[in-house]
Amino acid sequence: MAIMEGKAMFVWVKETEEYQGKDTGRYAVTLVLNDETSEELANNGVRLRSYGEGDNVILQRKFVSNYPVRVIDAEGNALEDFPSGSKVRISYKYGNEHPIHGVPVYMDGIRVLEMGGVGGDPAL
């Protein structure tokens, strides 16, 4: 089981994700990555999404699950949900490589290290 830390954006842990008005049937968290974590994922065949240009590029990856995942705070207390912008640690595993979409990452659990603010990151 692998573990990765980052800032959570687009959090769908209380209910399944909606995309273009349709339910995907999956729970999901998009994680903002730093250079080290993005390199680790890329070296394992995981495709990353980048936003911005030049020095303002932000790399992200969505972690998904077909089942509700356990969410806890830094002390181990159960949480139902948490806001975007929270610093989290995600436990995950790699799936089988897809010829077009690369290697998927499936989350098993989330520990919220620091709660994020109400607003999102203005850079996104």
Side-chain angles (χ1 to χ4, degrees), residues 75-100:
E75 289 78 39
N77 302 311
L79 295 173
E80 281 189 33
D81 203 2
F82 57 93
S84 292
S86 298
K87 182 177 179 184
V88 299
R89 182 179 297 148
I90 293 182
S91 170
Y92 68 97
K93 61 184 173 186
Y94 294 101
N96 296 326
E97 184 172 8
H98 185 277
I100 296 171

Side-chain angles (χ1 to χ4, degrees), residues 52-66:
E53 296 179 6
D55 292 338
N56 296 325
V57 172
I58 297 170
L59 293 175
Q60 297 181 340
R61 176 60 197 193
K62 183 189 294 186
F63 292 74
V64 299
S65 175
N66 290 328

Side-chain angles (χ1 to χ4, degrees), residues 26 44-47 61 94-106:
R26 301 183 309 177
N44 284 294
V46 177
R47 297 205 177 151
R61 176 60 197 193
Y94 294 101
N96 296 326
E97 184 172 8
H98 185 277
I100 296 171
H101 304 293
V103 175
V105 283
Y106 299 107

Side-chain angles (χ1 to χ4, degrees), residues 6 8 14 33 39-40 43 61 68 70 74 86 89 115 119-120 123:
K14 191 173 182 179
L33 307 170
E39 186 176 324
E40 179 183 334
N43 288 342
R61 176 60 197 193
R70 183 173 179 220
S86 298
R89 182 179 297 148
M115 285 290 191

Side-chain angles (χ1 to χ4, degrees), residues 20-22 30 35 39 67 69 73-74 76 80 85 98-100 108 116:
Q20 295 183 344
K22 295 185 181 184
T30 300
D35 291 339
E39 186 176 324
Y67 307 97
V69 295
D73 65 13
E80 281 189 33
H98 185 277
I100 296 171
D108 291 321

